[in-house]
Amino acid sequence: MARYLITGAAGFIGSNLARALLQRGDAVRGLDNLSTGRRENLTDLKGMDFRQADLLDRAALRSACEGVDVILHQAAIPSVPKSVQEPEPSHEANINGTFNVLLEARHAGVQRVVYAASSSAYGETPTLPKVESMKPDPISPYAVQKLTGEQYMTSFHRVYGLETVSLRYFNIFGPFQDPGSMYSGVLAKFSMQMLRGETPTIFGDGEQSRDFNYIDNCVQVNLLAASAPASEVAGKVFNVATGHRFSLNQTVDILRKLTGYKGEVRYAPEREGDIKHSLADITLARKHMGYDPAVDFEEGLRRTVAWYKTLMAPARA
Ligand code: UD2
């Protein structure tokens, strides 16, 4: 039985990973500084050895890596606009934090590090779908930071033989994603706003599109990346998406049906650092890991809205 360390364990993706690993009986340690992660996400993760600490706290990180086989490195300040407004803290968390994870993984003799990379690395490269072999063209500080982390992963594989796998997430959504911050992912925000009868705001004309991917597909690929033979995955970078894209306008139409929202949609100026279209080629992950995104967009949105509804249900007396 592998021993896992999840960084960002109280976050959206980290907590979903912890739940899946605990359910199948794995030993899980979790690290989170609770800056964007939330204690509520830990409520049903009783079996996890949770530690509240920052990735910049080397002593805490060193202790957390002890006896670990695989690290699922999800901790980050995950927002394009936040990185545009405040590049320094996101640089520290996303680049220095990732570097520290690699240093301490190596020190502890961890076998593999699976890293939450980002589709933002592609930037506005005109070709769709995005293929891993394309030259990256990051626009926002966040995109540069995530790409730098990826390159550090590959370097630590090449230079020190640490098994690293970088998963370029394309807009993951689903239960446990925080809907409440101005920096929240668009589907979390819109689902909750529309359920509450609040007016959602689209930045731009709404024709921008994303390869939105449901969280269960992301969990699946992390488990595959953690266990696939090193010859298939070590030192490599993989797109994690569905291979389909939806515009924000289409998304709002689907959400109207799921939430019953009948109100207006507000249009505001485009967001700085944004890219227009995003769509992945997922051939590589299918080939090397057997990745098969089982939950499609509409089914994922159905499950997501159902989950946000449970948050709105009045507490029982
Ligand atoms: C980027 C990455 C994604 C992941 C994520 C982490 C791309 C294509 N994707 O997601 O892989 O790393 O960062 O945060 O770079 N929007 C609105 N109204 C709102 C909120 C957002 O219109 O209230 C728009 C936003 O301007 C953008 C789209 O929705 O065009 C998606 O925004 P997002 O913040 O959910 O995700 P994105 O694409 O920046």
Side-chain angles (χ1 to χ4, degrees):
M1 190 174 71
R3 290 153 304 176
Y4 289 86
L5 168 65
I6 302 175
T7 71
F12 160 46
I13 297 176
S15 63
N16 275 287
L17 289 170
R19 191 166 298 106
L21 287 169
L22 291 168
Q23 269 166 13
R24 64 174 208 189
D26 284 289
V28 183
R29 187 174 292 153
L31 200 71
D32 203 300
N33 65 1
L34 298 180
S35 69
T36 57
R38 298 183 308 154
R39 261 197 199 284
E40 303 93 275
N41 290 352
L42 301 172
T43 312
D44 65 330
L45 303 177
K46 300 277 183 259
M48 178 165 71
D49 167 14
F50 179 72
R51 301 167 182 205
Q52 183 176 346
D54 198 283
L55 293 183
L56 303 180
D57 177 350
R58 286 286 292 278
L61 191 54
R62 178 156 297 192
S63 154
C65 287
E66 266 169 34
V68 164
D69 301 309
V70 178
I71 299 177
L72 303 178
H73 174 37
Q74 312 299 310
I77 297 185
S79 164
V80 169
K82 205 168 184 175
S83 79
V84 173
Q85 265 145 38
E86 290 183 89
E88 254 182 82
S90 75
H91 178 102
E92 278 168 20
N94 298 344
I95 295 187
N96 300 345
T98 295
F99 183 55
N100 286 350
V101 167
L102 285 167
L103 290 174
E104 294 305 334
R106 180 171 176 242
H107 180 266
V110 169
Q111 192 183 344
R112 186 170 296 185
V113 181
V114 180
Y115 169 64
S118 168
S119 68
S120 56
Y122 292 108
E124 287 290 24
T125 45
T127 320
L128 292 177
K130 310 295 186 197
V131 183
E132 293 86 341
S133 54
M134 282 176 179
K135 186 173 170 286
D137 185 21
I139 298 171
S140 63
Y142 170 77
V144 172
Q145 294 153 12
K146 279 284 161 180
L147 179 63
T148 305
E150 214 180 82
Q151 290 174 330
Y152 261 131
M153 290 288 148
T154 310
S155 165
F156 269 60
H157 174 64
R158 288 191 175 154
V159 176
Y160 305 118
L162 181 65
E163 294 176 10
T164 64
V165 190
S166 292
L167 303 175
R168 277 189 186 164
Y169 296 162
F170 282 63
N171 294 72
I172 314 291
F173 70 98
F176 295 93
Q177 188 169 28
D178 179 9
S181 137
M182 64 184 286
Y183 299 118
S184 295
V186 67
L187 297 183
K189 253 173 110 173
F190 283 8
S191 300
M192 205 58 178
Q193 287 169 336
M194 290 166 82
L195 280 172
R196 286 187 174 140
E198 296 166 6
T199 308
T201 300
I202 290 183
F203 301 131
D205 62 5
E207 285 308 302
Q208 68 264 51
S209 60
R210 296 289 183 270
D211 191 332
F212 291 110
N213 195 8
Y214 187 65
I215 182 68
D216 286 16
N217 302 329
C218 174
V219 169
Q220 179 207 84
V221 78
N222 270 275
L223 303 184
L224 292 168
S227 60
S231 56
E232 298 290 327
V233 297
K236 294 199 172 103
V237 175
F238 297 98
N239 287 341
V240 169
T242 67
H244 304 281
R245 70 188 162 106
F246 288 82
S247 72
L248 284 193
N249 289 328
Q250 288 175 313
T251 299
V252 164
D253 287 344
I254 299 170
L255 280 175
R256 277 185 188 282
K257 283 187 220 136
L258 294 173
T259 61
Y261 180 75
K262 299 204 170 28
E264 301 279 292
V265 173
R266 188 179 302 124
Y267 287 84
E270 256 177 49
R271 220 172 53 178
E272 229 171 307
D274 249 13
I275 66 160
K276 190 79 185 172
H277 300 295
S278 179
L279 173 71
D281 181 314
I282 54 171
T283 309
L284 213 62
R286 280 191 196 280
K287 178 170 168 227
H288 292 279
M289 295 187 275
Y291 167 61
D292 183 19
V295 184
D296 69 22
F297 180 59
E298 295 206 30
E299 174 58 21
L301 263 188
R302 245 189 304 280
R303 295 187 194 182
T304 302
V305 169
W307 188 80
Y308 286 121
K309 274 186 186 160
T310 67
L311 294 188
M312 297 180 61
R316 266 186 273 160

